[in-house]
PDB file of all heavy atoms in Angstrom:
ATOM      1  N   GLN M 205     -38.169 107.761 -23.549  1.00 52.00           N
ATOM      2  CA  GLN M 205     -39.228 108.715 -23.222  1.00 52.00           C
ATOM      3  C   GLN M 205     -39.452 108.780 -21.718  1.00 52.00           C
ATOM      4  O   GLN M 205     -39.658 109.860 -21.148  1.00 52.00           O
ATOM      5  CB  GLN M 205     -40.516 108.329 -23.946  1.00 52.00           C
ATOM      6  CG  GLN M 205     -40.450 108.505 -25.457  1.00 52.00           C
ATOM      7  CD  GLN M 205     -41.680 107.976 -26.161  1.00 52.00           C
ATOM      8  OE1 GLN M 205     -42.481 107.251 -25.566  1.00 52.00           O
ATOM      9  NE2 GLN M 205     -41.825 108.310 -27.426  1.00 52.00           N
ATOM     10  N   VAL M 206     -39.421 107.630 -21.041  1.00 47.00           N
ATOM     11  CA  VAL M 206     -39.594 107.606 -19.582  1.00 47.00           C
ATOM     12  C   VAL M 206     -38.451 108.346 -18.896  1.00 47.00           C
ATOM     13  O   VAL M 206     -38.675 109.135 -17.961  1.00 47.00           O
ATOM     14  CB  VAL M 206     -39.676 106.149 -19.086  1.00 47.00           C
ATOM     15  CG1 VAL M 206     -39.602 106.089 -17.567  1.00 47.00           C
ATOM     16  CG2 VAL M 206     -40.950 105.487 -19.575  1.00 47.00           C
ATOM     17  N   LEU M 207     -37.222 108.104 -19.353  1.00 54.00           N
ATOM     18  CA  LEU M 207     -36.073 108.788 -18.752  1.00 54.00           C
ATOM     19  C   LEU M 207     -36.148 110.288 -18.967  1.00 54.00           C
ATOM     20  O   LEU M 207     -35.851 111.084 -18.054  1.00 54.00           O
ATOM     21  CB  LEU M 207     -34.770 108.230 -19.347  1.00 54.00           C
ATOM     22  CG  LEU M 207     -34.428 106.792 -18.975  1.00 54.00           C
ATOM     23  CD1 LEU M 207     -33.184 106.337 -19.728  1.00 54.00           C
ATOM     24  CD2 LEU M 207     -34.215 106.668 -17.470  1.00 54.00           C
ATOM     25  N   GLN M 208     -36.545 110.703 -20.172  1.00 60.00           N
ATOM     26  CA  GLN M 208     -36.663 112.121 -20.457  1.00 60.00           C
ATOM     27  C   GLN M 208     -37.730 112.769 -19.590  1.00 60.00           C
ATOM     28  O   GLN M 208     -37.555 113.884 -19.076  1.00 60.00           O
ATOM     29  CB  GLN M 208     -36.999 112.337 -21.938  1.00 60.00           C
ATOM     30  CG  GLN M 208     -37.052 113.800 -22.358  1.00 60.00           C
ATOM     31  CD  GLN M 208     -35.731 114.514 -22.178  1.00 60.00           C
ATOM     32  OE1 GLN M 208     -34.672 113.899 -22.320  1.00 60.00           O
ATOM     33  NE2 GLN M 208     -35.772 115.807 -21.844  1.00 60.00           N
ATOM     34  N   SER M 209     -38.851 112.068 -19.415  1.00 57.00           N
ATOM     35  CA  SER M 209     -39.931 112.585 -18.572  1.00 57.00           C
ATOM     36  C   SER M 209     -39.465 112.733 -17.128  1.00 57.00           C
ATOM     37  O   SER M 209     -39.775 113.723 -16.452  1.00 57.00           O
ATOM     38  CB  SER M 209     -41.138 111.653 -18.649  1.00 57.00           C
ATOM     39  OG  SER M 209     -42.163 112.078 -17.773  1.00 57.00           O
ATOM     40  N   ALA M 210     -38.694 111.745 -16.638  1.00 55.00           N
ATOM     41  CA  ALA M 210     -38.183 111.815 -15.265  1.00 55.00           C
ATOM     42  C   ALA M 210     -37.232 112.990 -15.100  1.00 55.00           C
ATOM     43  O   ALA M 210     -37.258 113.697 -14.085  1.00 55.00           O
ATOM     44  CB  ALA M 210     -37.477 110.501 -14.927  1.00 55.00           C
ATOM     45  N   LYS M 211     -36.378 113.230 -16.120  1.00 56.00           N
ATOM     46  CA  LYS M 211     -35.456 114.360 -16.054  1.00 56.00           C
ATOM     47  C   LYS M 211     -36.210 115.680 -15.984  1.00 56.00           C
ATOM     48  O   LYS M 211     -35.844 116.594 -15.231  1.00 56.00           O
ATOM     49  CB  LYS M 211     -34.532 114.349 -17.276  1.00 56.00           C
ATOM     50  CG  LYS M 211     -33.505 113.228 -17.264  1.00 56.00           C
ATOM     51  CD  LYS M 211     -32.645 113.280 -18.517  1.00 56.00           C
ATOM     52  CE  LYS M 211     -31.622 112.151 -18.536  1.00 56.00           C
ATOM     53  NZ  LYS M 211     -30.801 112.174 -19.781  1.00 56.00           N
ATOM     54  N   GLU M 212     -37.263 115.784 -16.782  1.00 58.00           N
ATOM     55  CA  GLU M 212     -38.044 117.019 -16.786  1.00 58.00           C
ATOM     56  C   GLU M 212     -38.739 117.236 -15.451  1.00 58.00           C
ATOM     57  O   GLU M 212     -38.814 118.371 -14.955  1.00 58.00           O
ATOM     58  CB  GLU M 212     -39.070 116.974 -17.919  1.00 58.00           C
ATOM     59  CG  GLU M 212     -38.442 117.043 -19.308  1.00 58.00           C
ATOM     60  CD  GLU M 212     -39.473 116.975 -20.420  1.00 58.00           C
ATOM     61  OE1 GLU M 212     -40.660 116.784 -20.077  1.00 58.00           O
ATOM     62  OE2 GLU M 212     -39.100 117.116 -21.590  1.00 58.00           O
ATOM     63  N   GLN M 213     -39.238 116.155 -14.852  1.00 55.00           N
ATOM     64  CA  GLN M 213     -39.891 116.275 -13.541  1.00 55.00           C
ATOM     65  C   GLN M 213     -38.904 116.746 -12.482  1.00 55.00           C
ATOM     66  O   GLN M 213     -39.205 117.591 -11.636  1.00 55.00           O
ATOM     67  CB  GLN M 213     -40.527 114.949 -13.156  1.00 55.00           C
ATOM     68  CG  GLN M 213     -41.730 114.551 -14.005  1.00 55.00           C
ATOM     69  CD  GLN M 213     -42.333 113.240 -13.564  1.00 55.00           C
ATOM     70  OE1 GLN M 213     -41.945 112.670 -12.571  1.00 55.00           O
ATOM     71  NE2 GLN M 213     -43.293 112.752 -14.354  1.00 55.00           N
ATOM     72  N   ILE M 214     -37.682 116.169 -12.514  1.00 55.00           N
ATOM     73  CA  ILE M 214     -36.662 116.591 -11.553  1.00 55.00           C
ATOM     74  C   ILE M 214     -36.288 118.039 -11.779  1.00 55.00           C
ATOM     75  O   ILE M 214     -36.123 118.835 -10.831  1.00 55.00           O
ATOM     76  CB  ILE M 214     -35.409 115.686 -11.695  1.00 55.00           C
ATOM     77  CG1 ILE M 214     -35.747 114.260 -11.276  1.00 55.00           C
ATOM     78  CG2 ILE M 214     -34.258 116.231 -10.869  1.00 55.00           C
ATOM     79  CD1 ILE M 214     -34.617 113.259 -11.526  1.00 55.00           C
ATOM     80  N   LYS M 215     -36.174 118.445 -13.040  1.00 53.00           N
ATOM     81  CA  LYS M 215     -35.832 119.816 -13.382  1.00 53.00           C
ATOM     82  C   LYS M 215     -36.855 120.788 -12.837  1.00 53.00           C
ATOM     83  O   LYS M 215     -36.516 121.812 -12.199  1.00 53.00           O
ATOM     84  CB  LYS M 215     -35.712 119.945 -14.900  1.00 53.00           C
ATOM     85  CG  LYS M 215     -35.489 121.377 -15.386  1.00 53.00           C
ATOM     86  CD  LYS M 215     -35.475 121.410 -16.907  1.00 53.00           C
ATOM     87  CE  LYS M 215     -35.361 122.850 -17.415  1.00 53.00           C
ATOM     88  NZ  LYS M 215     -35.375 122.900 -18.910  1.00 53.00           N
ATOM     89  N   TRP M 216     -38.153 120.498 -13.038  1.00 54.00           N
ATOM     90  CA  TRP M 216     -39.200 121.419 -12.584  1.00 54.00           C
ATOM     91  C   TRP M 216     -39.294 121.424 -11.053  1.00 54.00           C
ATOM     92  O   TRP M 216     -39.595 122.464 -10.469  1.00 54.00           O
ATOM     93  CB  TRP M 216     -40.547 121.031 -13.188  1.00 54.00           C
ATOM     94  CG  TRP M 216     -40.645 121.398 -14.640  1.00 54.00           C
ATOM     95  CD1 TRP M 216     -40.679 120.575 -15.717  1.00 54.00           C
ATOM     96  CD2 TRP M 216     -40.706 122.731 -15.160  1.00 54.00           C
ATOM     97  NE1 TRP M 216     -40.762 121.276 -16.875  1.00 54.00           N
ATOM     98  CE2 TRP M 216     -40.783 122.618 -16.581  1.00 54.00           C
ATOM     99  CE3 TRP M 216     -40.707 124.011 -14.580  1.00 54.00           C
ATOM    100  CZ2 TRP M 216     -40.862 123.731 -17.414  1.00 54.00           C
ATOM    101  CZ3 TRP M 216     -40.777 125.114 -15.423  1.00 54.00           C
ATOM    102  CH2 TRP M 216     -40.850 124.963 -16.802  1.00 54.00           C
TER     103      TRP M 216
END
Side-chain angles (χ1 to χ4, degrees):
Q205 292 174 346
V206 170
L207 292 175
Q208 184 62 32
S209 176
K211 289 179 181 178
E212 291 179 355
Q213 291 181 6
I214 294 174
K215 174 184 176 181
W216 285 111

